[in-house]
Amino acid sequence: MRCCKTASRALQRRVRSFRLHLLFFLWGSVMQTASVKWVGEEKFLATSPSGHAINFDSDRHSNTAPGPMELVLMALGACTATDVVSILRKKRQKLESLEVICSGERAAEPPTVWKRLEIVYRLRGQLDDQAVKHAIELSEDKYCSVAAMLRKTAAVSWRLRNPASEFFDRRGESPSALAILTRYHRELILFNSCGKKQ
């Protein structure tokens, strides 16, 4: 009786897996269409292939909505976060919270593509270190389609950060005040250099 139940569960898992693979295959093989409507100045209303609307503002001075390149950073974070959550669930890890922070540097001359990207993962929960590392590596090397596209023009790196403290480096040591100020000075320079870019 137990053998029959075990075989039945295994068959159900294979059927579910087949359906998911079929769904992803069909979704990936169909041309998807998004539309963008100009609504005045440098503002636009975009509609995704799934029917969701989002506002864009390419003028960083008015700054009423994200710019196109900002959405690329957000898409990168959402894409890899989805992978990590899914993989950790399959590994039966008890994830309580996840935050993905994406930072980047753009080229100085047009087209001002992203040329360097860093992804910082903050996780909390009852987690195995190796499981977390493996989940991130699978996302970055195999599953994250946004990262795969951006890697054509940018060097992409990632690291983990202890969510219990804002100012702890990889060794778990508190850096000096000078190091903290230097870090934020660099971030301010990066923000100002990209401020006039869409």
Side-chain angles (χ1 to χ4, degrees), residues 71-126:
L71 264 292
V72 174
L73 275 184
M74 295 163 65
L76 173 62
C79 186
T80 187
T82 301
D83 294 334
V84 171
V85 169
S86 176
I87 295 169
L88 289 178
R89 183 186 298 120
K90 292 177 181 177
K91 290 178 176 291
R92 301 184 183 278
Q93 298 293 301
K94 295 182 179 180
L95 178 66
E96 296 175 3
S97 67
L98 168 65
E99 182 182 10
V100 179
I101 303 170
C102 299
S103 305
E105 179 182 354
R106 293 173 64 180
E109 300 295 331
T112 53
V113 299
W114 293 112
K115 67 176 187 179
R116 186 170 66 86
L117 295 163
E118 182 185 64
I119 307 172
V120 177
Y121 296 86
R122 291 177 175 173
L123 301 93
R124 190 190 303 274
Q126 299 178 34

Side-chain angles (χ1 to χ4, degrees), residues 15-128:
V15 170
R16 284 197 296 267
S17 178
F18 173 76
R19 287 176 177 173
L20 284 173
H21 280 85
L22 180 61
L23 177 63
F24 286 127
F25 174 77
L26 293 175
W27 180 255
S29 64
V30 176
M31 179 72 75
Q32 300 180 47
T33 303
S35 65
V36 179
K37 182 184 293 185
W38 177 50
V39 294
E41 298 178 335
E42 295 184 32
K43 299 176 177 62
F44 305 87
L45 177 64
T47 304
S48 71
S50 55
H52 299 282
I54 185 168
N55 291 304
F56 285 86
D57 187 353
S58 296
D59 185 352
R60 296 274 54 84
H61 295 290
S62 59
N63 197 30
T64 59
M69 293 297 281
E70 290 180 308
L71 264 292
V72 174
L73 275 184
M74 295 163 65
L76 173 62
C79 186
T80 187
T82 301
D83 294 334
V84 171
V85 169
S86 176
I87 295 169
L88 289 178
R89 183 186 298 120
K90 292 177 181 177
K91 290 178 176 291
R92 301 184 183 278
Q93 298 293 301
K94 295 182 179 180
L95 178 66
E96 296 175 3
S97 67
L98 168 65
E99 182 182 10
V100 179
I101 303 170
C102 299
S103 305
E105 179 182 354
R106 293 173 64 180
E109 300 295 331
T112 53
V113 299
W114 293 112
K115 67 176 187 179
R116 186 170 66 86
L117 295 163
E118 182 185 64
I119 307 172
V120 177
Y121 296 86
R122 291 177 175 173
L123 301 93
R124 190 190 303 274
Q126 299 178 34
L127 304 168
D128 177 76

